[in-house]
Amino acid sequence: MKTLESVLERYISAVKSLDKQAFLALYDPSVRYFDMTAPFELRGTDVFGGRVDKWFAHMEGSEPDVIPSNLESSSSGELAYMTMLIDYADVDAEGNRRAMMNRLTWVLAPRGDDWKIIHEHTSVPLNEETMEPEFEL
Amino acid sequence: MNTPQSVIDRYTSAVMNLDREAMLSLFAEDLKMFDTVTPWKFENRNEWAVYIDEWFSAGATYAKVEASDVHIRTFADCAHVSMNMRYAEHGGGGMTNRITWLLVPDGEEWKILHEHASVPLHRTEMTPQFQP
């Protein structure tokens, strides 16, 4: 059985190389996806794939990087989860480094000898006073 | 053994009644929480309890708290819930959150080991969207 850590390693590799097929292969086809941006949810890799196209197109040529921290994970035979903070960084056309931190929760189920993400929840918190989103810890 | 659905029911009841003890009893001591508003994370139930005190004493009262689009998967030693939770305040305010739970058994009860609650942001303006 592949490890949860290998899922994260493949996720980072897929984003850094903007490899849509490798990225979508991490997800169960029926994934329930709560993304940082609207709508409230996306269901299925068919729908989610369109969003990945736009995301990766936006990062073309920008040297994307993905840096997880505060990682916690656990698995039973039937279900696993991973939680983390995750920094998405890249370099804009003027050469300036951009970065945004997210909170990320994955719920994974065994499929053959691998884990597939059946649910993802990605968000940033709203400032308690202003209710404006915060993008840095 | 109770069910994850009963945890949802007790959660909505605890918020409706602003019942701190009932609310806290739903969570595991080693809770890890990503809440809709800052801070970025709570590392245990004691940290979360301080926030619940602030939340339940802030003055908002609720006409209705209800879950919808609920997905539940239950196994022997863990369960997973994803749902929308609508908090409708008296007077017409309120919001809907996306909530993800991971639950673990503790004696005869499921306890929330991880909660991730949030609202999505508008795709271009990056403003929070409080209703689906």
Side-chain angles (χ1 to χ4, degrees), chain B residues 3 17 19 27 43 61-62:
Chain B
T3 62
N17 297 318
D19 185 336
F27 294 89
E43 295 283 6
T61 59
Y62 297 94

Side-chain angles (χ1 to χ4, degrees), chain A residues 32-67:
Chain A
R32 186 181 203 192
Y33 196 87
F34 293 168
D35 198 9
M36 184 190 76
T37 54
F40 261 62
E41 73 170 283
L42 300 168
R43 289 195 193 183
T45 48
D46 290 346
V47 176
F48 175 43
R51 175 155 297 198
V52 176
D53 284 332
K54 290 178 184 170
W55 181 29
F56 282 8
H58 177 70
M59 293 194 295
E60 193 72 47
S62 69
E63 303 173 35
D65 199 3
V66 183
I67 305 148

Side-chain angles (χ1 to χ4, degrees), chain A residues 28 30 32-41 43 51 54 69-72 74 76-85 101-107 109 111 118-129 131-137, chain B residues 30 32-41 43 51 54 68-71 73-84 95-102 104 113-124 126-132:
Chain A
D28 187 87
S30 64
R32 186 181 203 192
Y33 196 87
F34 293 168
D35 198 9
M36 184 190 76
T37 54
F40 261 62
E41 73 170 283
R43 289 195 193 183
R51 175 155 297 198
K54 290 178 184 170
S69 60
N70 286 83
L71 183 66
E72 290 184 20
S74 181
S76 67
E78 298 159 312
L79 199 70
Y81 76 91
M82 301 182 81
T83 68
M84 68 196 86
L85 301 180
M101 184 166 278
N102 280 184
R103 295 100 53 94
L104 176 63
T105 298
W106 279 339
V107 181
R111 297 285 186 268
I118 62 170
H119 174 60
E120 175 169 330
H121 193 154
T122 301
S123 75
V124 295
L126 306 181
N127 182 283
E128 197 176 4
E129 304 295 329
M131 295 304 263
E132 293 291 322
E134 295 201 353
F135 297 102
E136 294 179 17
L137 184 61
Chain B
D30 51 350
K32 182 172 185 179
M33 162 78 80
F34 295 153
D35 195 20
T36 301
V37 295
T38 52
W40 277 71
K41 55 188 169 63
E43 295 283 6
Y51 179 78
E54 293 177 11
S68 62
D69 294 309
V70 179
H71 289 202
R73 288 174 188 242
T74 308
F75 301 100
D77 54 3
C78 58
H80 157 53
V81 175
S82 58
M83 60 191 161
N84 290 335
M95 70 166 84
T96 297
N97 283 185
R98 299 97 53 95
I99 291 183
T100 299
W101 279 346
L102 284 146
V104 291
L113 179 66
H114 172 59
E115 174 172 327
H116 190 156
S118 75
V119 296
L121 306 180
H122 188 279
R123 279 189 61 76
T124 54
M126 289 291 163
T127 51
Q129 183 176 324
F130 293 106
Q131 302 295 342

Side-chain angles (χ1 to χ4, degrees), chain B residues 53-70:
Chain B
D53 287 338
E54 293 177 11
W55 175 15
F56 285 179
S57 62
T61 59
Y62 297 94
K64 188 77 176 174
V65 179
E66 62 180 354
S68 62
D69 294 309
V70 179

